[in-house]
Amino acid sequence: MNGPPRDWNERYRAGTTPWDSRIPSRELARVLAEETIPAGTALELGCGTGTNAIFLARSGFQVTGVDVSAVALSTARQLAAEAEVTIDFQLRDLSQPLTDLPRFDFVFDRGCYHCVRKINVSALLDNLARCTRPGSRMLVLTGNSHSEGEQGPPQLSEAELREDFGSLFQIDWIREFHFEDAGNIEGPLGWSTLLTRRS
Ligand SMILES: C[S@@+](CC[C@H](N)C(=O)[O-])C[C@H]1O[C@@H](n2cnc3c(N)ncnc32)[C@H](O)[C@@H]1O
């Protein structure tokens, strides 16, 4: 799932997108149900074809979805229109400084951070510092270094997650989960990390 930004359009055009399950993330739904996360403003990083942005909008959030792939965003806009929800989809590269985004109550990331961190983790964290405020929550779903084999998403250790996010965010918990892949099959083992922005 790595590569320079231009690769993402090629992957969406070719349909080599196993992560694009078109099923709202069960882990996201679990966390929203279990934790006290009110339906405020939400930013989805690397929203792809918008499945979870649409789910968040249907759950009452006011959603902005950003992605570096114009191809993915075109599908996302179409699917949001069909779902009759309003979402602000924006073509953005999170490995570059974004200085004009507002601050959000909730940030969701399913499979974007673990790619962008390999290119420019400090730019991504600077962007997160700018678009959150103390108390903002963030849920990050990433690959997991306990997975068997090297296929699938970039694999991180729990220590790497703590290292990347620990200064900007309080780490509420880190737990294992499984992604859903296209075809509703059980996808790779991942880490689910819930964060609260520090003061
Ligand atoms: C593994 S896919 C996950 C897509 C979506 N979150 C989902 O769950 O279906 C990673 C997404 O991150 C996007 N992405 C990768 N690098 C990016 C960057 N530098 N800035 C913004 N989006 C990026 C890709 O275009 C892709 O849609």
Side-chain angles (χ1 to χ4, degrees), residues 5 8 43-48 64-70 73 77 88-102 104 112 116 124 127 130-131:
W8 293 100
L43 172 67
E44 185 177 3
L45 308 179
C47 61
T64 299
V66 299
D67 203 285
V68 77
S69 167
L73 288 176
R77 289 190 180 101
D88 181 12
F89 287 114
Q90 301 184 13
L91 184 65
R92 299 282 190 145
D93 182 350
L94 290 159
S95 69
Q96 301 300 316
L98 303 180
T99 53
D100 58 342
L101 280 178
F104 292 86
C112 180
V116 178
L124 179 64
N127 288 332
R130 279 190 291 267
C131 71

Side-chain angles (χ1 to χ4, degrees), residues 73-83 89:
L73 288 176
S74 163
T75 303
R77 289 190 180 101
Q78 188 186 324
L79 294 176
E82 285 170 13
F89 287 114

Side-chain angles (χ1 to χ4, degrees), residues 9 25-26 29 52 66 73 81 92 99 103 143 169 172:
N9 277 332
S25 163
R26 286 191 271 271
N52 291 301
V66 299
L73 288 176
R92 299 282 190 145
T99 53
R103 295 182 193 272
F169 292 93
D172 299 321

Side-chain angles (χ1 to χ4, degrees), residues 142-182:
T142 66
N144 185 323
S145 56
H146 295 160
S147 308
E148 286 173 16
E150 291 178 2
Q151 298 257 310
Q155 298 177 358
L156 281 80
S157 66
E158 184 174 340
E160 287 173 310
L161 284 161
R162 291 186 183 280
E163 168 77 25
D164 285 356
F165 288 113
S167 330
L168 189 59
F169 292 93
Q170 170 192 307
I171 296 173
D172 299 321
W173 44 252
I174 301 180
R175 67 188 188 193
E176 295 194 327
F177 83 109
H178 278 271
F179 287 94
E180 301 84 21
D181 270 357

